[in-house]
Amino acid sequence: MGVARSRVESQTDLEDTSMRAASAATIRMSQQSRWSVKMPSLSWRPTSAQKLELAEKKMLTAIATSEHTKVEQWMTKAGEHEINTVKIGSGPPLVLLHGFGAGLGFWGCNLAELAEHNTVYAIDLPGFGRSSRAVPQAGLRTAEQAEAYFVETIDAWCAANQLDRFALLGHSFGGYLSALYAIKHPNKIAKLIMADPWGVPPPPPPEQLQKYPLRYRRIGRVLSSVNPLSTIRVAGAWGQSLI
């Protein structure tokens, strides 16, 4: 009886130990699961040029398949830049310029319809999307220099693609650049379309700024030196939540 009781107690202890081990493992797995859900990717920046290229390819393939049309994509050498270019449709040329913080994928839901009556060219502006991010050696220190930088790059892209006269459609920041380009090269614009365009007003004169408290002026100086897209990139995996 004593031997049997000892065996039963040993078996019970073993079962208890197994249950405690299983319970502890379950708790650890649950904690790891909660940790992995709450914490972002360890790569910090969960984006890459390869992922962007894959996403763009999926979008263009879906458009070509659903509309039974040909979609072309290539990189255009324009000055110091490689400009990502997409072409679709046939007819008079229509060039699309996206807005700030966007890319040619912004037009994804409009490309097929616009291409019914036009040869549509959609690009990633320099510094956006898959286009290169070359910075002029002299830098861009004034609004006029930045405007000339974009206009000259767009014009170099047009020359590389033999576009002498075309309709130009710009959204938001792209609308602003479209207007600048039309002012600089009016003979090349068959039609100018600006969708929700915006611009940057000139800064107030120094004497007007003196009316504001010093702390507000200091905050303004700090914010004026910060690139909002750089802030999103530095935020890494949390960047998407800031948009």
Side-chain angles (χ1 to χ4, degrees):
M1 290 292 293
V3 173
R5 182 179 300 172
S6 177
R7 289 178 177 174
V8 171
E9 291 176 350
S10 297
Q11 184 175 358
T12 302
D13 291 341
L14 181 60
E15 291 176 352
D16 290 342
T17 301
S18 300
M19 291 178 64
R20 286 195 295 269
S23 177
T26 301
I27 293 173
R28 286 196 299 272
M29 290 176 63
S30 176
Q31 291 174 340
Q32 291 173 356
S33 176
R34 289 197 298 269
W35 182 265
S36 63
V37 170
K38 291 183 178 180
M39 291 300 294
S41 169
L42 295 179
S43 63
W44 188 245
R45 289 184 184 177
T47 59
S48 67
Q50 292 74 20
K51 289 182 179 180
L52 180 57
E53 181 179 0
L54 179 60
E56 179 184 287
K57 184 177 181 180
K58 287 182 178 180
M59 178 192 74
L60 297 178
T61 300
I63 293 173
T65 302
S66 62
E67 302 298 329
H68 305 287
T69 187
K70 182 180 180 181
V71 180
E72 303 175 67
Q73 183 278 329
W74 67 89
M75 290 290 179
T76 300
K77 180 65 176 178
E80 300 177 346
H81 285 281
E82 293 284 337
I83 300 297
N84 187 29
T85 306
V86 165
K87 178 183 177 182
I88 178 175
S90 60
L94 170 63
V95 176
L96 308 180
L97 301 183
H98 62 77
F100 190 76
L104 62 83
F106 175 83
W107 307 100
C109 295
N110 309 107
L111 288 176
E113 187 171 356
L114 292 173
E116 291 180 0
H117 306 289
N118 302 275
T119 300
V120 178
Y121 294 85
I123 68 172
D124 285 332
L125 289 167
F128 296 85
R130 295 179 59 206
S131 291
S132 60
R133 303 176 184 274
V135 178
Q137 293 182 353
L140 302 174
R141 301 185 180 278
T142 66
E144 291 75 16
Q145 289 176 339
E147 292 172 355
Y149 165 75
F150 279 102
V151 170
E152 290 170 5
T153 303
I154 294 170
D155 194 48
W157 175 86
C158 292
N161 288 281
Q162 300 179 341
L163 291 172
D164 300 321
R165 188 169 174 80
F166 50 89
L168 184 57
L169 167 57
H171 170 260
S172 189
F173 178 59
Y176 175 57
L177 296 180
S178 297
L180 292 175
Y181 187 88
I183 293 171
K184 182 71 173 180
H185 303 283
N187 59 315
K188 296 184 179 182
I189 302 300
K191 184 181 296 184
L192 176 63
I193 309 167
M194 296 184 290
D196 190 23
W198 63 261
V200 181
E207 56 272 16
Q208 183 176 345
L209 291 176
Q210 296 301 320
K211 299 178 182 180
Y212 297 96
L214 179 60
R215 62 178 180 275
Y216 292 145
R217 282 181 277 154
R218 288 176 174 174
I219 293 174
R221 280 196 293 268
V222 171
L223 294 178
S224 65
S225 64
V226 176
N227 184 329
L229 297 185
S230 297
T231 303
I232 294 174
R233 285 194 292 270
V234 170
W238 283 284
Q240 292 183 351
S241 64
L242 299 178
I243 300 176

